[in-house]
Structure formats: structure tokens, C-alpha cells
Amino acid sequence: MTATVDLLLRNLKPWGEAKTVDLAAVGGRFIAPTVGMTAKRTIDAAGRLAIPGFIEPHIHLDKVMINKEVRTNSSGTLTEAIEIIWEKKRTYSTAEVVARAGSIIESGVANGVLHFRTHVDVDTIGGLKPMEGVLAAREKYRHIADIQIVAFPQEGILRDKGAEELMWKAMEMGADVVGGMPFNEASPADSKRHIEIAFEIARKHDADIDMHVDETDDPNARTLEMLADQTMANSWQGRVTAGHTCALAGYPQDYAAKVIAKVKQAGLHMITNPATNLMLQGRLDAQPKRRGITRVQELLAAGINVSFGQDCVRDTFYPFGRDDTLEVALITAHAAHLSQPTQIEQLFAMPTVNAARILGIEDYGLKPGALADAVIIEAPDAAEAIRLQAPRRWVIKRGKVVAETEVRRQTWF
Ligand SMILES: [Zn+2]
């Protein structure tokens, strides 16, 4: 029988595989092509590198593109970046958040990002306005992007009286993941309680947890170990992610080794955000300045699942970014000293298979039965894709081409 499928992809070179493959898409899923199959559209990838889409596991869509509307972060620190947002947050409207978030969702998708996990501020300053805005943006872009939302109590839960109630409400409104910022509390006891409350909310909603952990150069920050301990106490292994973890880089070797062993035991996923943290950390250091990047290589060596995120785009924390995974990969390679061929493959796993584990994306893959998501890159392999910052030639979401990029350059040599 001859069937007509939505899309036929020929000669894809899936990352990590030796041979090219053909795939057909029908009803948003891949199937194996059959002889004589007809398609509404056929693309010949001609051996180009293909992936089932990049995954952005850590971004702040409620804050993106805000930097031209607020005063400048003149110290360049995390503390001042957060304070400037206070003024703006009080004036948010849903439409304005949708417009800013939408511009970066569109940019990300055109760059091949087909799944996002976004943290959204939940506090008594902006209330639930940022959440309303990002929920509306998720709805608007449902056809091109899968978006997980993390309720993020950036101002603390105990320090910001009323934040806990808002966190519960945010989860009822449609947030998927419980966030946290345990270092931003008044004492270690309060940091511990902050994490406990997050677990109470997560248990009630059967939700994963994804926290901002020790985003500081201060080597006395201890909330990564606390998070690992409570993950084990709650049997939440594999469901908890720690982002940033800058302080881990500043620990003495013996304490760092102990914490990394606990992170492994607790099955924590780790996300480094080098673009933002290279910019924010070490600001107050004399030379040599600390880099503020977590111990990526030691975490990988311990067999821990590591990914990286864009984190910030044109906000008070970071003035650049366009949610381009290959750009962040290049920054991560430099920040974490990833230069050898095997390390570059480990790097490419971070925003693909590793991030798929963090977000719990089922059916991620270029194979029959999987979601018909694909990005075909104008490069033969991962190292060349990163080196060339190669165009994402075709971006396909659920069997539909949603973006194409061709770069035209003329030379007269
Ligand atoms: Zn962040």
C-alpha cells in the first residue's frame, strides 16, 4: 500500500551514528520509510549532521530582553542584577512578558531548540504576574516548542514572607517543576528549611525539583550538599537538578570530593551556565580572578549527568545571547577546558541526550516511534558544528518544518 506521509527525511547523519538514515514523519511521530512511500515534502539532508533537537534546560524567559528598559548593572554583580529587576517586576503586564519571552522562544526554535525549561520568578514583588505571562507564552507557542516551567522563589522562601503561598499557587496554575534559591536565605538553618518546603510542594504535586544552587564565589556556601542530602531522604533520586553551583569550584579539594560523591549518590543532574557566570562571578576578586564555573570535568568523571544552559538573554545579568545552543557550547568548551575530541562529544551530549534526561523527555531520538523532531545542521559532525557555529539548515517540530536558515556569503578572492 502506498501511503502519503507529512515529511520524508533522506540521508540524515544522526549524531553518534556511523551511517545515514531515512525517516518519515506522520502524525507527529517518526516511522520507517517504505518503498514507494510518497510525502507532502521531502528533504535530502545529504549526510548533514542531525539531532532530535537541542534542549534548553535553564533559561529565564520572564526576564529576557529587559536590559534596555531598566538601569544599567554598574557593579556587574548578581546582587545588583536582581535588585534592578525589582523595579521592573512591579510593572509587568502579561502581554509584555509574552512579547519578550516570545522573541527568545522564536529565536531559540530557529536555532534548533525544541524543548525549553524556564525558571520564572515567584515572589511578593512581582507576585504571579511573571508566571501568568510565561504560561500565556507557552500556550501561544505550543505548536513549535515544548516548555517546562519552574516556579522560582528567587527572593527566598523564608526571607520573602508570602513566597511560600505563592509557590503553592504557581504549581496549581500550571508550573511543572519546583524551583529554589536556598543560598538566598538568612542562615544555614533557613536554607535547609527552604529546601524542605520545596520537597513538600514537590511531593504534593509529584513534581521534579530544579534549584539555583550556590550561585556565589563564597566557598562557605553549603546548599549543594543540603540538596543532595534531602534528595536522598525523600527518595527523589533522578528527579532533582542543581543549576550554577559556582561555589563548588571554590571548595577545598577534600570537601569538593565529598560533595561530588554525594551528588552522584543522590542522582542529581547538574547544569552549568557559563555565559552568565563568567560575566557575573569573580567581579570583586583581585587578580587572579575566579572563573565562577562549576567543576564540569570532575562531575563528568564521577559519572554525573551534566548539561549547560543559556540562563540569561539581554537582561540585567548578561547583555548578550540569542538562545543559540552552539554559541553556549563554544563558551562552555572554553570555560570548562573541553578541547579533546572525546570531550567535545561529551559537550555535545549536554544539550541533547543529557538534557533529555533532566527534562524527562520520552521518545527523544531519530528513530521510528520517536517524536518527529529534528534539526539538520550545516556541518558533518559535532566538532565542526561548534567550530563553525553552523547554520541550522532545517528545524522540524512534530513532522513540520518550522524554520530554515541559509547563509549567503560572496567573496572576491
Ligand atoms: Zn538561572
Side-chain angles (χ1 to χ4, degrees), residues 82-197:
I82 290 173
E83 284 170 9
I84 297 167
I85 298 270
W86 292 345
E87 299 154 21
K88 177 70 186 165
K89 229 184 316 198
R90 294 188 179 97
T91 69
Y92 278 172
S93 74
T94 302
E96 182 251 354
V97 176
V98 171
R100 286 189 293 97
S103 73
I104 296 307
I105 295 167
E106 289 179 14
S107 168
V109 171
N111 291 325
V113 177
L114 296 177
H115 296 262
F116 299 74
R117 178 180 275 186
T118 177
H119 296 255
V120 177
D121 287 8
V122 173
D123 53 53
T124 60
I125 302 164
L128 294 166
K129 206 37 110 179
M131 186 60 68
E132 283 167 19
V134 176
L135 282 165
R138 169 163 77 180
E139 201 49 45
K140 181 176 176 188
Y141 291 100
R142 193 170 279 286
H143 60 298
I144 59 166
D146 292 291
I147 301 175
Q148 287 185 4
I149 297 177
V150 185
F152 174 42
Q154 180 174 250
E155 307 297 332
I157 298 179
L158 289 96
R159 236 170 46 110
D160 183 24
K161 301 233 174 317
E164 182 181 346
E165 201 189 327
L166 292 170
M167 285 289 289
W168 285 99
K169 279 198 184 136
M171 295 302 290
E172 280 157 26
M173 282 167 70
D176 309 281
V177 178
V178 182
M181 180 88 156
F183 187 65
N184 196 13
E185 293 287 2
S187 68
D190 283 1
S191 295
K192 185 164 176 280
R193 182 64 197 135
H194 178 119
I195 298 171
E196 283 169 3
I197 293 169

Side-chain angles (χ1 to χ4, degrees), residues 15-27:
W15 173 61
E17 288 182 29
K19 290 188 182 153
T20 59
V21 300
D22 295 347
L23 282 169
V26 64

Side-chain angles (χ1 to χ4, degrees), residues 58-60 119 152 212 215 244 273 311-312:
H58 187 124
I59 192 163
H60 295 261
H119 296 255
F152 174 42
H212 283 62
E215 190 175 0
H244 297 285
N273 300 299
D311 197 20
C312 301

Side-chain angles (χ1 to χ4, degrees), residues 56-59 117 119 210-211 213 241-246 268-274 277 294 296 299 304-311 350 354-355 358-359:
E56 170 55 75
H58 187 124
I59 192 163
R117 178 180 275 186
H119 296 255
D210 190 335
M211 292 198 178
V213 179
T241 300
H244 297 285
T245 65
C246 308
L268 294 191
H269 306 288
M270 301 288 275
I271 296 177
T272 186
N273 300 299
N277 285 133
T294 197
V296 173
L299 293 166
I304 292 161
N305 189 37
V306 181
S307 188
F308 63 74
Q310 169 79 64
D311 197 20
M350 292 182 188
N354 295 9
I358 295 175
L359 270 68

